Amino acid sequence: MSIYQGNCLRVDLTGHEVGRGKTPDNGIGARTWNSVTLLRELEPGIDPLGPDNILCIGVGPLVGSKMIATCRFIASAKSPLTGYLGDSGARGFFAAEMRWSGHDQIVFTGASDRWVYLFIDNDRVEIRDASHLVGMDITQTTVALHDELRDPDLQVAAIGPAGENLVRYSIISCNLARAAGRTGMGAVMGSKKLKAIVIHGDRPVKPADPERFEKACAQFHSDLVGHKDFEPRRRYGTTMIMDRLAEMGVLPAFHYRSTQFENLDKVNGIALRRDHIVKEKSCYNCNVHCSRYNYTHYGEGEGPEYEALAAYTVKCGNSDLELAVGVSNAVNRLGIDCITTGEVIAWLMECRHEGVISDADIDGIDLSWGSRDALLRLPELIARREGIGDLLAQGTKRAAETFGPEAQKLTAEVKGLELFSADPRGIKGYALMNAINSRGGDHYRGEPMIELTGDEDRAMRRVGYREAAHRLEETGKGALVNYAEHLGILSDSMTICKNISNCMDLVDFDLAAEAYSGLLGREITHREMWDACSHVSQVERDFNLREGLHTEEDTLPARFLDQPIPDGPSQGTTIDIDRLVSDYYKEKGWDR
């Protein structure tokens, strides 16, 4: 069944040839098209960093429209970090420009024999020389392209030195700091010697039924500005999460050794806004303005979001907020994933604390908790693959294999992808999402946020279990995660901001169906949207099974299963991940 089939630009980087076609006919936008494309066209077992990998960039049909926060693109390929499905989304303005250029999906095949960038101006598409951009960070690349093309309004998605050097968790970034950060899509781009994509488009999105579409947009806007988290998100963005996680007792302090951090008030969202934020910033057509420009004596930049803020403070045992913000800015410019980078550093610090490794093993870098030396030097070494950075560029799973079994016991990854900055034992729906989702250890695949609300009526409406509204309950979490997963696929296909659609629970399948109906001018039902997401969930599972996934990998690191939370409000909490995964499998109709 086809709900929407878009325009696909095909770019053969080996032959430097461009063609045009259509997206797969059984999807609703970006992630659905990308995942189907990979399953259909990618040969099993290929090297993720070889020329046979395929890189898909997709946007949803609502992007660039009047619908608030339709501002994301999804980049998909076989992941060089995990060996399974890789994809990641970025917000900002690039996606809208891509949609306005008349392209819903770009599929890159092959690999160039020299560094190039892709230039798109509506129907005009050119593969251009990028040799002069090699070695530049993401900010330098973006500025150089704006200057070269004499147009500061052009939208640029680029890789930095990390992508050029094939760091397995390097990013694709637009608008200087809006990153498709997870699973190493920047490394895939680098393996194809594709330094950047530059886009200009001026074709507006015109709904077929304007009245119906605008009614859906107006309802969404009303729900958004009336939401209890609208103002907190405007003021603090995702950094507001830090205090809430502290209250729950699930902060990952000192690499998950504690949920307590004595200097929390020095590094939280309030401190960040007070000491380093100079201006709010929004993505395309969004009135939340949840991002921020920052300034420190290390330099200036955008952010950080919660994950970067927590990674370089609480998780590493660092109370120097200015240092953390400076590291976040550097990581963005170098082009490496803030979550994996933070996890690499915090894991090394715990290994040193436990006597598993010494500073001498890491080029003499001080690995004590909160070490300024480690936080400043390691990202540069990783991005440039110099010294110990060459090993750490492989991610914690591969690096731990080199250091041995005791180091492996301290990692926090699932299927090779490093976990988020929260203790999964105390938020059991999120724990299950990290264990089973199709790209590995990750919370953002689908946010089972209902378990954080205590709203039993909402939990009943959404998934049929009152217990699902409580984070420490295990009953109903299979149904909750299945629902959250579907909602994540929906958001990644509409390419709408998940902080609004999922975390604020403002987009459901009824609203999505109404918006699509108004846009396309024909009746689209709730059920059709749900079924499209179900289909892609199975497509992604089939892709991973084909690449060698075993069901035993749908679990959490042993460190979270062998002992309870040690302290704080959730002290003593354990998790039965086998029960949770079994419940989820039943929801999916899968065998274990």
Side-chain angles (χ1 to χ4, degrees), residues 483-526:
Y483 174 82
E485 178 187 54
H486 277 70
L487 195 59
I489 295 172
L490 178 70
S491 297
D492 286 342
S493 300
M494 297 170 67
T495 46
I496 192 169
C497 175
K498 279 182 171 176
N499 289 333
I500 294 173
S501 62
N502 290 28
C503 299
M504 297 174 75
D505 195 28
L506 286 173
V507 174
D508 59 16
F509 287 86
D510 289 324
L511 176 64
E514 191 65 16
Y516 271 66
S517 297
L519 181 73
L520 302 177
R522 66 178 191 275
E523 193 65 32
I524 307 297
T525 67
H526 167 126

Side-chain angles (χ1 to χ4, degrees), residues 109-130:
T109 58
S112 177
D113 60 355
R114 58 190 183 276
W115 282 101
V116 297
Y117 71 89
L118 184 70
F119 176 78
I120 299 173
D121 184 359
N122 292 322
D123 291 333
R124 179 185 169 199
V125 180
E126 299 174 0
I127 299 172
R128 297 183 173 183
D129 176 67

Side-chain angles (χ1 to χ4, degrees), residues 128-305:
R128 297 183 173 183
D129 176 67
S131 58
H132 58 300
L133 304 174
V134 175
M136 291 186 181
D137 67 27
I138 285 170
T139 299
Q140 292 167 338
T141 300
T142 303
V143 172
L145 286 167
H146 283 163
D147 289 347
E148 174 183 331
L149 300 169
R150 299 180 181 180
D151 186 351
D153 293 327
L154 289 171
Q155 294 301 310
V156 178
I159 60 172
E164 294 176 18
N165 293 319
L166 308 187
V167 174
R168 290 183 185 269
Y169 45 95
S170 52
I171 68 174
I172 303 170
S173 188
C174 62
N175 303 117
L176 306 182
R178 311 309 296 165
R182 309 246 61 197
T183 71
M185 295 300 96
V188 177
M189 200 161 152
S191 73
K192 297 182 178 299
K193 285 189 162 52
L194 178 64
K195 178 64 174 175
I197 306 166
V198 183
I199 293 186
H200 168 259
D202 57 16
R203 299 164 176 168
V205 176
K206 297 180 180 180
D209 186 343
E211 183 177 352
R212 187 174 187 180
F213 183 70
E214 292 197 13
K215 183 177 180 181
C217 293
Q219 182 61 57
F220 181 39
H221 177 268
S222 176
D223 293 344
L224 174 60
V225 297
H227 195 282
K228 64 181 180 61
D229 280 343
F230 179 71
E231 283 302 327
R233 285 188 178 273
R234 279 176 65 91
R235 289 181 62 80
Y236 304 111
T238 58
T239 65
M240 72 178 193
I241 297 169
M242 187 175 284
D243 288 301
R244 294 184 182 183
L245 294 183
E247 291 168 3
M248 296 176 198
V250 294
L251 279 178
F254 302 97
H255 199 234
Y256 305 100
R257 298 172 66 88
S258 173
T259 64
Q260 307 293 290
F261 194 69
E262 182 178 1
N263 292 320
L264 186 67
D265 61 341
K266 295 181 180 179
V267 298
N268 62 8
I270 296 171
L272 177 67
R273 180 180 175 87
R274 180 190 65 226
D275 298 339
H276 297 292
I277 298 307
V278 295
K279 184 181 179 182
E280 287 78 20
K281 181 179 183 294
S282 78
C283 297
Y284 166 76
N285 190 25
C286 184
N287 59 342
V288 179
H289 295 209
C290 71
S291 192
R292 300 148 307 281
Y293 288 109
N294 68 67
Y295 182 81
T296 73
H297 81 263
Y298 297 98
E300 60 189 69
E302 183 182 342
E305 303 276 1

Side-chain angles (χ1 to χ4, degrees), residues 337-351:
D337 176 26
C338 68
I339 296 178
T340 294
T341 303
E343 175 58 26
V344 166
I345 296 171
W347 164 71
L348 287 173
M349 289 177 174
E350 186 179 22
C351 284

